[in-house]
Amino acid sequence: MYSFEENIRKVEPYVPGEQPTGKVIKLNTNENPYPPAKGVTEALESMNTDLLRKYPDPTADILVKELADFYNVGEEQVFVGVGSDDVLSMCFLTFFNSDKPIFFPDITYSFYEVWANLYRIPYTCKELDKNFEIVPEDYYGENGGVIFPNPNAPTGLYQELDKVEDIIRHNPDVIVIVDEAYVDFAGESARSLIDKYDNLIVVQTFSKARSMAGMRIGYAISNPHLIKCLNDVKYSFNSYTMNQTSLVCGVEAVKDRAHFEETVHKIIETREWAKEELAKLGFEFLDSKANFIFAKHPEYDAKELFEAMKKENIYVRFWGSRRIEQYMRITIGTKEEMETMFSFLKRYMNK
Amino acid sequence: MYSFEENIRKVEPYVPGEQPTGKVIKLNTNENPYPPAKGVTEALESMNTDLLRKYPDPTADILVKELADFYNVGEEQVFVGVGSDDVLSMCFLTFFNSDKPIFFPDITYSFYEVWANLYRIPYTCKELDKNFEIVPEDYYGENGGVIFPNPNAPTGLYQELDKVEDIIRHNPDVIVIVDEAYVDFAGESARSLIDKYDNLIVVQTFSKARSMAGMRIGYAISNPHLIKCLNDVKYSFNSYTMNQTSLVCGVEAVKDRAHFEETVHKIIETREWAKEELAKLGFEFLDSKANFIFAKHPEYDAKELFEAMKKENIYVRFWGSRRIEQYMRITIGTKEEMETMFSFLKRYMNK
């Protein structure tokens, strides 16, 4: 063994999630089944590629302005990054520098634990209750910060704003991050609380409701002071992260409010119909408000069912981890994709 | 003051470099004055934007393959990232986990110090000699890793490969990173040493010779083991960084070898001519092998000259820091841009 091996960072070997190509029904990574706004295609078609020889605007000005306009906040209240993963990671690095543990749910987005480990941030996971609900009181204790998704993943459960506010109000001494990747399919955003609480950051993404997972765009909305802190940290070690195409495509995606509302509406409609179909087949599931459903069947083993679906080129997500061994997460695809899945399930279950 | 302020990361406030728009001669950030390969424009024009709704391939397979093909190495020897800043930062995080200090030159790319601080890596800066040359013997001592650019920035000085190899050979116990952002304008790459030394990583970028600063693409070439370590760390905390457009544009840029060679050739030609012109005006400068020239004038104060040029909409780079107070860094633009600069300088100096 070489001596330099000792200095190489040890990490859990990770296998990237399945990204099958070809003719498959892909309901495993919560992508949007509808294409992005037409303006995105037009922006790429007409792009002046001579611009690419120059560094992109580090302030991402055009995109920040468009988002500020859309959400009716000031430009100095918006921070953008390379997907909400980048934005959240930057929030951990910027705001979670306490010796006290940060709090997040035990069943939640798996990267919270990863970033806490990466930045050596102590953390405590708060168990969801037996209905997989977040218990606000669990987040009252002394801590170094709080983060949770709303709706939560992979449960899909949405907490009404008064419960979210309760957690924020009980934590005035630390930063509270509400990760709203799926909120457009759910209900009211905590954005409306930003003027009221100086410790609140809301993070959203272009990967779900805006059909742009492939462009990697996420953003945070907060008060100007916290946004400045994020930008200061970002600029201090990597100024140019958002590439030129992300900026122009992002602007076009935000501009097309009609397309955004229409696709969100279709997905919600398909989700509610899918719940009825799942119920008819005897599935048990949480009342998801996201673009996926977290479901189990009392008579069928989740892993076996997952494998059987995969053989039919229908990909859903299965973890097999503690408390969720019998659950699968099914992304809401188009009505046609869901129909294909249901006809397979009916055949499989002889119904 | 709120209590949460205590937990906010303290950083040096940073002002992003000037990115003037409008009709200016921009010789301040070492961008390429020529547009990227034509295939890049065609790729964007014909892009299937429905792909954008899906997450990009986390392995960046198509781009990795194209680079492996171009450089005649195995696919498992290439790592790609969001600009060489991202690649270098990932190398620091992955390989520099020793209690001993890493070594890099005192006058060099300013981000080495930033990443070392960010990841709490101890470091020692080794002074360039009075001719601004790296002294290989300075890098022989016990250390936690070595990194230097070749050509160095902002000096532009290129070290012949035997000097580079000398540093690598004297450091078998640690990882040595050769940052070759500007090597295409200079001479032989340390890529040729990769099979010989198991501790060597070579980092390059699309931002200079490939005219793609705006797309944010960088890469590392090394042996399969070290590339796997980089990918393991990357996947462990942020799997999807390269967006879909970077992947397809990157492929097209690499494919067009003729365009790449032609623009590099033109820039070298303009650089050598610019040296003659600078000499005629009495400038003193290092024999740069990069796409910029680091120059001073014995009779004119650098800061004053820099300001005077800026008033004429000619932007060059000036730092005013220790040992380089009287130097300006002039990026090589098109012949026409350089001519405009020289006619201003002649007027300014009454020559």
Side-chain angles (χ1 to χ4, degrees), chain A residues 2 31 41 49 52 55 198 214, chain B residues 2 31 41 49 52 55 198 214:
Chain A
Y2 290 104
E31 289 151 339
T41 308
T49 46
L52 297 182
Y55 282 93
D198 287 321
Chain B
Y2 290 105
E31 290 151 338
T41 308
T49 46
L52 297 183
Y55 283 93
D198 288 321

Side-chain angles (χ1 to χ4, degrees), chain A residues 168-194:
Chain A
I168 301 165
R169 196 178 41 237
H170 280 88
N171 283 285
D173 292 340
V174 299
I175 299 297
V176 178
I177 300 169
V178 186
D179 176 0
E180 295 190 333
Y182 301 101
V183 79
D184 298 309
F185 308 108
E188 209 186 338
S189 162
R191 276 195 317 275
S192 60
L193 301 174
I194 280 180

Side-chain angles (χ1 to χ4, degrees), chain A residues 168-332:
Chain A
I168 301 165
R169 196 178 41 237
H170 280 88
N171 283 285
D173 292 340
V174 299
I175 299 297
V176 178
I177 300 169
V178 186
D179 176 0
E180 295 190 333
Y182 301 101
V183 79
D184 298 309
F185 308 108
E188 209 186 338
S189 162
R191 276 195 317 275
S192 60
L193 301 174
I194 280 180
D195 290 340
K196 199 166 163 191
Y197 297 97
D198 287 321
N199 61 330
L200 170 63
I201 296 173
V202 174
V203 175
Q204 301 190 349
T205 178
F206 280 54
S207 300
K208 312 298 175 189
R210 293 190 195 276
S211 300
M212 298 257 278
M215 282 311 281
R216 318 306 304 121
I217 309 175
Y219 52 100
I221 297 182
S222 182
N223 58 65
H225 172 57
L226 297 187
I227 293 299
K228 184 178 182 303
C229 294
L230 274 174
N231 272 318
D232 283 350
V233 169
K234 182 203 134 154
Y235 290 146
S236 77
F237 73 92
N238 191 355
S239 332
Y240 304 104
T241 57
M242 301 292 293
N243 73 20
Q244 191 58 36
T245 49
S246 300
L247 298 179
V248 300
C249 291
V251 165
E252 293 305 321
V254 180
K255 268 185 182 164
D256 197 341
R257 193 185 285 263
H259 177 81
F260 168 72
E261 286 173 357
E262 189 194 324
T263 49
V264 165
H265 179 74
K266 279 200 281 190
I267 290 166
I268 293 173
E269 223 171 42
T270 310
R271 178 187 71 206
E272 295 308 312
W273 164 80
K275 287 179 187 169
E276 292 168 24
E277 295 299 305
L278 284 169
K280 284 184 203 161
L281 289 169
F283 277 94
E284 295 167 3
F285 49 87
L286 304 179
D287 189 22
S288 169
K289 300 292 181 192
N291 69 336
F292 55 82
I293 300 174
F294 199 54
K296 67 173 179 178
H297 199 291
E299 295 154 41
Y300 294 90
D301 178 68
K303 185 154 196 281
E304 278 175 34
L305 188 51
F306 165 77
E307 297 290 353
M309 292 172 84
K310 201 158 131 180
K311 267 188 198 141
E312 291 283 306
N313 283 324
I314 301 167
Y315 285 74
V316 297
R317 191 77 180 263
F318 167 74
W319 286 271
S321 45
R322 197 183 74 88
R323 290 184 74 193
I324 58 171
E325 299 87 349
Q326 286 304 322
Y327 279 87
M328 296 189 316
R329 190 193 67 189
I330 305 164
T331 302
I332 304 302

Side-chain angles (χ1 to χ4, degrees), chain B residues 95-238:
Chain B
F95 300 114
F96 293 163
N97 295 289
S98 166
D99 293 332
K100 295 172 196 155
I102 60 167
F103 290 168
F104 51 81
D106 67 332
I107 296 174
T108 195
Y109 188 43
S110 58
F111 272 80
Y112 299 161
E113 198 169 350
V114 167
W115 296 316
N117 287 328
L118 178 69
Y119 301 127
R120 302 174 201 176
I121 299 162
Y123 61 94
T124 304
C125 295
K126 297 291 178 178
E127 204 153 311
L128 298 179
D129 72 12
K130 65 181 196 323
N131 302 316
F132 291 107
E133 295 273 7
I134 287 174
V135 183
E137 292 74 14
D138 290 347
Y139 297 81
Y140 289 0
E142 226 186 0
N143 63 65
V146 173
I147 179 164
F148 57 89
N150 193 31
N152 194 10
T155 63
L157 294 180
Y158 171 73
Q159 294 184 86
E160 292 301 329
L161 220 51
D162 56 343
K163 268 179 79 176
V164 172
E165 183 167 2
D166 183 68
I167 295 176
I168 301 166
R169 196 177 41 236
H170 279 89
N171 283 285
D173 293 340
V174 298
I175 299 297
V176 178
I177 301 170
V178 186
D179 176 359
E180 295 190 335
Y182 301 101
V183 81
D184 297 310
F185 307 108
E188 212 186 335
S189 162
R191 277 195 317 275
S192 59
L193 301 174
I194 279 178
D195 289 341
K196 200 166 162 190
Y197 297 97
D198 288 321
N199 61 329
L200 171 63
I201 296 173
V202 174
V203 175
Q204 300 191 349
T205 178
F206 279 53
S207 300
K208 313 297 174 186
R210 292 188 197 278
S211 300
M212 299 256 278
M215 282 309 283
R216 316 307 304 123
I217 310 175
Y219 52 101
I221 297 183
S222 182
N223 58 67
H225 172 58
L226 297 188
I227 293 298
K228 185 180 181 302
C229 294
L230 274 173
N231 272 317
D232 283 350
V233 170
K234 182 203 133 153
Y235 290 147
S236 76
F237 72 92
N238 191 355

Side-chain angles (χ1 to χ4, degrees), chain B residues 60-71:
Chain B
D61 191 44
I62 55 171
L63 182 55
V64 163
K65 276 191 172 139
E66 202 66 43
L67 283 164
D69 198 40
F70 188 91
Y71 290 117

Side-chain angles (χ1 to χ4, degrees), chain A residues 53-54, chain B residues 19-27 310 312-315 337:
Chain A
R53 66 181 184 78
K54 291 196 197 167
Chain B
Q19 290 289 0
T21 49
K23 262 215 118 15
V24 304
I25 295 186
K26 193 167 177 307
L27 307 174
K310 202 158 129 181
E312 291 284 306
N313 283 323
I314 301 167
Y315 285 74
E337 289 174 320

